């Protein structure tokens, strides 16, 4: 019984330490190539439960275009209030696969005034990752359909694991967005 209590206490302490760890910005070996996404459309499929996601049903990204300073993409954000907003995001290159949004659009985007890591295998997933000021992961994973396949999801999860990104993800509501 004594050893069971020690083992249980050790497991609880390990879990508590793991949950208290702050996120770190992953070092990325390869750059993000927006040109490879040109002509494709991507929909959020999985994301963290962050302040921005709380008001959004789904987001569609398309028209990826390289610029002299990085890349830009067109977004249509479907809000939970059944409205949508069309906007263009401009991302400035900082270092390999790391960009910063050039212009803040509204109060919700104040959260996103941080560096973004963009990762894609250009077939299964495209994701944006950032580490919030509070040390929490913010992850948005986009897929080429509103209902991604198990193969698409597994490819994205495997990449997150390879990068050491550990967070709980939630399904978007893209299938309900019009």
């Amino acid at each position: 019984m004594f050893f069971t209590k020690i083992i249980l206490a050790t497991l609880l302490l390990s879990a508590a330490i793991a949950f208290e760890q702050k996120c770190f910005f992953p070092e990325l070996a390869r750059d993000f190539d927006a040109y490879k996404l040109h002509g494709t459309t991507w929909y959020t499929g999985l994301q963290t439960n962050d302040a921005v996601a709380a008001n959004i049903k789904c987001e569609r990204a398309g028209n990826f275009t390289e610029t002299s300073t990085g890349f830009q993409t067109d977004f249509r954000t479907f809000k939970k209030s059944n409205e949508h907003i069309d906007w263009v995001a401009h991302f400035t290159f900082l270092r390999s696969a790391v960009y910063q949004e050039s212009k803040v659009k509204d109060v919700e985007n104040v959260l996103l005034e941080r560096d973004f890591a963009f990762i894609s295998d250009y077939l299964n997933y495209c994701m944006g990752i950032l580490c919030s000021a509070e040390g929490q992961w913010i992850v948005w994973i986009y897929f080429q359909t509103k209902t991604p396949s198990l193969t698409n999801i597994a490819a994205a999860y495997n990449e997150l694991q390879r990068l050491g990104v550990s967070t709980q993800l939630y399904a978007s509501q893209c299938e309900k967005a019009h």
Side-chain angles (χ1 to χ4, degrees), residues 140-161:
W140 285 50
I141 303 176
Y142 295 78
F143 301 99
Q144 289 193 52
T145 75
K146 292 180 180 182
T147 54
S149 71
L150 186 56
T151 300
N152 303 138
I153 294 168
Y157 266 108
N158 288 341
E159 183 64 12
L160 288 174
Q161 290 299 309

Side-chain angles (χ1 to χ4, degrees), residues 41-59:
T41 302
W42 298 79
Y43 301 88
T44 51
L46 297 168
Q47 73 255 353
T48 49
N49 187 20
D50 55 75
V52 175
N55 295 321
I56 296 175
K57 237 191 258 190
C58 177
E59 193 162 64

Side-chain angles (χ1 to χ4, degrees), residues 101-176:
E101 190 171 2
S102 300
K103 294 181 181 177
V104 175
K105 304 288 184 258
D106 57 35
V107 175
E108 287 179 344
N109 280 344
V110 170
L111 174 69
L112 306 179
E113 288 181 322
R114 306 187 62 77
D115 297 350
F116 285 81
F118 286 99
I119 300 120
S120 182
D121 70 355
Y122 309 102
L123 174 66
N124 292 295
Y125 64 85
C126 177
M127 66 177 93
I129 300 172
L130 66 102
C131 190
S132 75
E134 296 79 29
Q136 301 299 313
W137 288 114
I138 297 176
V139 178
W140 285 50
I141 303 176
Y142 295 78
F143 301 99
Q144 289 193 52
T145 75
K146 292 180 180 182
T147 54
S149 71
L150 186 56
T151 300
N152 303 138
I153 294 168
Y157 266 108
N158 288 341
E159 183 64 12
L160 288 174
Q161 290 299 309
R162 189 187 72 69
L163 293 170
V165 175
S166 178
T167 189
Q168 191 167 13
L169 297 171
Y170 299 87
S172 74
Q173 299 173 12
C174 279
E175 72 280 354
K176 296 177 185 176

Side-chain angles (χ1 to χ4, degrees), residues 69-82:
T69 59
F71 74 96
Q72 70 181 34
T73 187
D74 296 343
F75 284 98
R76 174 167 279 183
T77 301
F78 298 92
K79 294 190 159 212
K80 290 194 174 173
S81 62
N82 290 327

